[in-house]
Amino acid sequence: MMAETKTRLITALIVAPFVVACFINYNSLIGLVAAVVLLASYELLNMAILDQQHRIFLYFGVSISVGFTIVYGIFQARNGMLLLCLAFILNGALSVLTIKKISIVWNTVLASSLSLLYIAGCLSFFFPLYLKFGAANALLNLTAVWLYDTGAYFAGLRWGKTKIAKHISPSKSLEGIFGGFLTAIAFSVVYKICFELIFHSEVMPFKSLVIFSLTIAIFDTFGDIFESALKRYFNLKDSGNVLPGHGGMLDRIDGLLFVTPVTYFLFTLGIL
Amino acid sequence: MMAETKTRLITALIVAPFVVACFINYNSLIGLVAAVVLLASYELLNMAILDQQHRIFLYFGVSISVGFTIVYGIFQARNGMLLLCLAFILNGALSVLTIKKISIVWNTVLASSLSLLYIAGCLSFFFPLYLKFGAANALLNLTAVWLYDTGAYFAGLRWGKTKIAKHISPSKSLEGIFGGFLTAIAFSVVYKICFELIFHSEVMPFKSLVIFSLTIAIFDTFGDIFESALKRYFNLKDSGNVLPGHGGMLDRIDGLLFVTPVTYFLFTLGIL
């Protein structure tokens, strides 16, 4: 366990600065989100499309998810639903044109649709978040989830007793969630003070940071268990191995996928 | 065959006036679209969720699709992607809270996501179509697809020779598509003249009617074959039997689901 924790830490220390740097500019953010969608949707479709003869659907599905993300980003996060439905229809038409074996229809079509809505759609909320509520809040959404995950991981390891989803995600515990919640609050307070002092950029008010951390605790947990359920269906432990010590990209962003649209929603309501 | 055609015609003559009447008012249109989404998403989830113990996911999935449609309609077709992703997350969280058997995760989660994007999402483009481009154009989108389907059916029956999708939808022929295309053009010209004379409401220009009919011919065909592929995967001939002679609701709207977002897209581009 110690060796794995060390690998996990080293990977984080190498990858995190690059990821954070992408938030300096909107165009580099598009590149970052598209790259993450590429890896995560590849992993999802790779789980679902087991038939080696039908790898072409994997490439269709991934390309369409990534294409949607880039176009949505370039169009400044407008007409999202139209782009999403057109991407779905394009995927459907391509499937119809190339499919040979009916028995694989369901999994491939469904995995591509899921990839569009779940991965490309949900993660793309970084674009409106960045454009409407500022780079500082968008970066906080990402880094607070990281810190939440880290806090939950170590608190769970040390004090985890009350298991909440034994059959799906056996290591999840209430103690871990609480530890993550406290870590997220502590981190976001420090983040706010530093950002406002050093960069003079506005971060949500102090009282919103508590609601925000609570949102992360709830939706990160649901997101994580949801993704674990999908993996377990395929008898996999990790969605991939692109990030040593962290498993696959999808494992790393599963909480973020549920948190980001909800954060954006709370911002538009004026709650954050 | 004659008896089925007769049943089909009688059903159409009874149902069509009610459907057309719903276009008089925006609120009744919301009711109509929600009712169709209810029936079609029920049929889709009923195909996918075979396990009788897990019928509850069927009701979750249908409720969330219908809920999305109503809320999106009431909010005047704004924030569609946010609503779609929040509905997806809600569905994911409910699944996580209630799921007992991992082996059914994939089908249920995926069928609900598909229902959201494919049925509720695509059909809901009637709302922005109605609000931005007028009731007359929205109703034309529906009725021209009906007439296209009718024309394609009879032309295919009479002259169908060149099969285009033998394995998935054996009765589809190029001759049928061409017959449908001509029927759609003829109908939409008559529709435009009548509507502008009687109701003084604006319908797209004559040259756009040709592009519009071509759009229907292409995307109705893809939509129809796409839905046939899903059905064939489950060894079903019809998605249901709610409309005597027409099969299920999903069978009836399969073409419309692909045509409507594309029509709306062409309108926003200024092509129609």
Side-chain angles (χ1 to χ4, degrees):
Chain A
M1 186 57 85
M2 277 315 289
E4 202 197 311
T5 305
K6 208 172 161 185
T7 317
R8 198 180 165 114
L9 196 70
I10 293 170
T11 306
L13 289 177
I14 295 170
V15 175
F18 287 102
V19 172
V20 170
C22 288
F23 277 77
I24 290 174
N25 176 286
Y26 181 65
N27 289 327
S28 55
L29 179 70
I30 298 179
L32 172 70
V33 175
V36 173
V37 168
L38 175 75
L39 291 169
S41 62
Y42 177 84
E43 288 172 1
L44 181 72
L45 271 79
N46 199 30
M47 289 202 284
I49 304 174
L50 302 168
D51 189 330
Q52 288 298 321
Q53 278 190 290
H54 290 85
R55 301 291 286 181
I56 188 162
F57 291 106
L58 196 155
Y59 302 116
F60 281 166
V62 172
S63 308
I64 286 173
S65 280
V66 174
F68 162 81
T69 308
I70 294 172
V71 173
Y72 181 63
I74 290 172
F75 282 145
Q76 311 265 319
R78 279 194 294 262
N79 293 319
M81 182 164 141
L82 180 59
L83 290 174
L84 216 49
C85 288
L86 290 177
F88 171 77
I89 292 169
L90 178 63
N91 185 62
L94 283 174
S95 304
V96 158
L97 286 174
T98 46
I99 223 150
K100 286 189 194 76
K101 215 163 78 187
I102 284 291
S103 62
I104 62 139
V105 171
W106 192 242
N107 265 355
T108 58
V109 163
L110 290 200
S112 311
S113 315
L114 187 67
S115 163
L116 260 175
L117 194 55
Y118 174 43
I119 299 176
C122 289
L123 203 65
S124 290
F125 278 93
F126 270 108
F127 301 143
L129 199 57
Y130 189 100
L131 292 169
K132 288 193 199 159
F133 305 107
N137 281 318
L139 183 59
L140 176 61
N141 182 67
L142 176 71
T143 49
V145 168
W146 282 350
L147 268 287
Y148 170 83
D149 283 341
T150 312
Y153 177 76
F154 287 108
L157 220 56
R158 176 74 184 76
W159 297 288
K161 234 173 57 187
T162 326
K163 305 294 184 190
I164 56 163
K166 271 193 201 119
H167 302 295
I168 305 175
S169 197
S171 62
K172 280 254 156 314
S173 69
L174 265 186
E175 293 78 4
I177 294 175
F178 192 67
F181 173 60
L182 293 183
T183 313
I185 291 188
F187 168 76
S188 54
V189 167
V190 175
Y191 179 96
K192 179 180 164 68
I193 294 169
C194 292
F195 257 70
E196 297 192 338
L197 271 178
I198 304 169
F199 301 109
H200 306 285
S201 42
E202 218 177 305
V203 178
M204 63 179 92
F206 281 110
K207 68 172 191 340
S208 301
L209 292 177
V210 182
I211 304 172
F212 175 59
S213 303
L214 196 66
T215 306
I216 295 179
I218 297 168
F219 287 93
D220 189 288
T221 306
F222 275 124
D224 194 321
I225 300 177
F226 178 79
E227 197 250 350
S228 296
L230 291 184
K231 275 189 305 189
R232 259 169 204 272
Y233 179 80
F234 290 105
N235 290 315
L236 294 171
K237 192 188 166 288
D238 294 327
S239 66
N241 54 8
V242 70
L243 298 167
H246 294 253
M249 182 55 85
L250 189 55
D251 297 321
R252 198 75 285 267
I253 62 163
D254 52 7
L256 206 58
L257 292 175
F258 274 28
V259 169
T260 311
V262 177
T263 300
Y264 176 73
F265 179 55
L266 295 178
F267 262 112
T268 58
L269 291 181
I271 292 174
L272 293 187
Chain B
M1 185 57 86
M2 276 315 288
E4 202 197 313
T5 304
K6 209 173 162 186
T7 317
R8 197 180 165 112
L9 196 70
I10 292 169
T11 306
L13 288 177
I14 294 170
V15 174
F18 288 101
V19 173
V20 170
C22 288
F23 278 76
I24 290 175
N25 176 286
Y26 181 64
N27 289 327
S28 55
L29 179 70
I30 297 180
L32 172 70
V33 175
V36 174
V37 167
L38 175 75
L39 292 169
S41 62
Y42 178 84
E43 288 171 2
L44 181 72
L45 271 79
N46 199 30
M47 290 202 282
I49 303 175
L50 301 168
D51 188 330
Q52 287 299 319
Q53 279 189 287
H54 289 86
R55 300 293 285 180
I56 188 162
F57 292 105
L58 195 155
Y59 302 116
F60 281 166
V62 172
S63 309
I64 286 174
S65 280
V66 174
F68 162 80
T69 308
I70 294 172
V71 173
Y72 181 64
I74 289 173
F75 281 145
Q76 311 265 320
R78 278 193 296 261
N79 292 321
M81 182 163 140
L82 180 60
L83 290 174
L84 215 50
C85 287
L86 290 178
F88 170 76
I89 292 169
L90 178 63
N91 185 61
L94 283 175
S95 304
V96 158
L97 285 174
T98 46
I99 222 149
K100 285 190 196 77
K101 216 164 76 187
I102 284 291
S103 64
I104 62 138
V105 172
W106 192 243
N107 266 355
T108 57
V109 162
L110 290 200
S112 312
S113 314
L114 188 68
S115 162
L116 260 175
L117 193 57
Y118 174 43
I119 298 176
C122 289
L123 203 65
S124 290
F125 278 93
F126 270 108
F127 301 143
L129 200 58
Y130 188 99
L131 292 168
K132 288 192 199 161
F133 304 107
N137 281 319
L139 183 60
L140 175 61
N141 182 67
L142 177 72
T143 49
V145 168
W146 282 350
L147 269 288
Y148 169 83
D149 282 342
T150 312
Y153 177 77
F154 287 109
L157 220 56
R158 177 75 184 76
W159 296 288
K161 235 173 55 188
T162 325
K163 305 296 185 191
I164 57 162
K166 270 192 201 119
H167 303 294
I168 305 176
S169 197
S171 63
K172 282 256 155 314
S173 68
L174 265 186
E175 292 79 3
I177 293 176
F178 192 66
F181 172 60
L182 292 183
T183 314
I185 291 188
F187 168 75
S188 54
V189 168
V190 175
Y191 179 96
K192 179 179 164 69
I193 293 168
C194 291
F195 257 69
E196 296 190 339
L197 270 179
I198 303 169
F199 300 108
H200 306 286
S201 43
E202 216 176 307
V203 178
M204 63 180 95
F206 280 111
K207 71 175 188 342
S208 300
L209 292 177
V210 181
I211 303 172
F212 174 60
S213 303
L214 195 65
T215 307
I216 295 179
I218 296 169
F219 287 92
D220 189 287
T221 306
F222 275 123
D224 193 323
I225 300 178
F226 178 79
E227 197 250 350
S228 296
L230 291 183
K231 275 188 306 190
R232 261 169 203 272
Y233 180 79
F234 290 107
N235 291 314
L236 294 170
K237 191 186 166 287
D238 293 328
S239 66
N241 54 10
V242 69
L243 299 168
H246 294 252
M249 182 55 84
L250 190 55
D251 297 321
R252 197 75 286 267
I253 62 163
D254 53 7
L256 207 56
L257 291 175
F258 274 29
V259 168
T260 311
V262 177
T263 300
Y264 175 73
F265 179 55
L266 295 178
F267 261 112
T268 58
L269 291 181
I271 292 174
L272 292 187

